Amino acid sequence: MGFMDRVAPVVDETIATLAGTKFVEDPIAGVKYSRATSIISSAYKRHGKILETAIREGLRESNRHSVWQDDIFRVSRAADGLASSLSLDECAKSVLPYGDAVRTLQIDLLAFDNADRTMRAYEIKRGNGHFDAGKIRSIRRDLMCIQVLLRSYGEFCKFQPMGAESRIIFYYGIRSLPRPWSLDKSELDQHFGFPIIELVEKANDYFKDRLHALLEAKP
């Protein structure tokens, strides 16, 4: 099954959901533009899942990465404590055992790089808008928790990592965290050692075409 065979169903499901979007007709905008505004607003929010899927499935095309996602990554009380007391750079040098949990996190992309033996984790954001201070603190805290647990997690998954890196991908470039803790679209090919941007943009083009067709259809 090829890349688009795996990604297109996610796009198609998104379009089907958008087609059923309910809207309230604004007396100034009228039916056409009220509907379009509602669909576009929802499309922005749902595009994040398409990006997650496209990046994850695109990286599966690489022969150097083992790729998966984890909806129940365990965060221990000790990891939460370190995240509250250490800086990002200090967390990069810290390792805690993976296993205990006081809460769990969804990790969009986990990749073990068989070339450099590094265990990596990624949260994937559109990166086309700004988060408020509270959301940035939450993103930063989760990033740090994942970082200190990630090497042990790789061992838990039966790999033998030489290192571990937790990163946030702000795809369109508006970063809420600085380098080296974040990446944008322009850096992904070099970072992964694999031409992933072309694949992701193929998925984006498919979504764009289907979205535009939906917007141009009669209500």
Side-chain angles (χ1 to χ4, degrees), residues 65-68 111-114 117 119 151-162:
H65 296 92
S66 299
V67 178
W68 68 102
F112 181 72
D113 190 327
N114 294 288
R117 312 300 296 175
M119 183 74 236
R151 184 163 181 166
S152 176
Y153 172 83
E155 294 167 351
F156 174 82
C157 294
K158 308 302 183 186
F159 296 104
Q160 296 180 328
M162 300 291 290

Side-chain angles (χ1 to χ4, degrees), residues 4 6 31 33 51 75 108-109 131 157 174 185 190 199 207 211 219:
M4 284 305 298
R6 301 192 300 273
V31 172
Y33 295 112
L51 280 177
V75 176
D108 299 328
L109 169 62
F131 294 113
C157 294
I174 298 179
K185 171 184 173 181
Q190 181 177 358
L199 291 171
F207 179 48
L211 176 61

Side-chain angles (χ1 to χ4, degrees), residues 144-190:
M144 294 167 75
C145 288
I146 294 167
Q147 177 64 52
V148 299
L149 294 166
L150 192 56
R151 184 163 181 166
S152 176
Y153 172 83
E155 294 167 351
F156 174 82
C157 294
K158 308 302 183 186
F159 296 104
Q160 296 180 328
M162 300 291 290
E165 296 178 357
S166 181
R167 299 290 185 262
I168 311 291
I169 296 173
F170 296 101
Y171 189 77
Y172 290 115
I174 298 179
R175 301 171 189 254
S176 298
L177 292 175
R179 295 182 178 89
W181 297 95
S182 64
L183 300 158
D184 67 19
K185 171 184 173 181
S186 67
E187 299 166 312
L188 294 184
D189 284 357
Q190 181 177 358

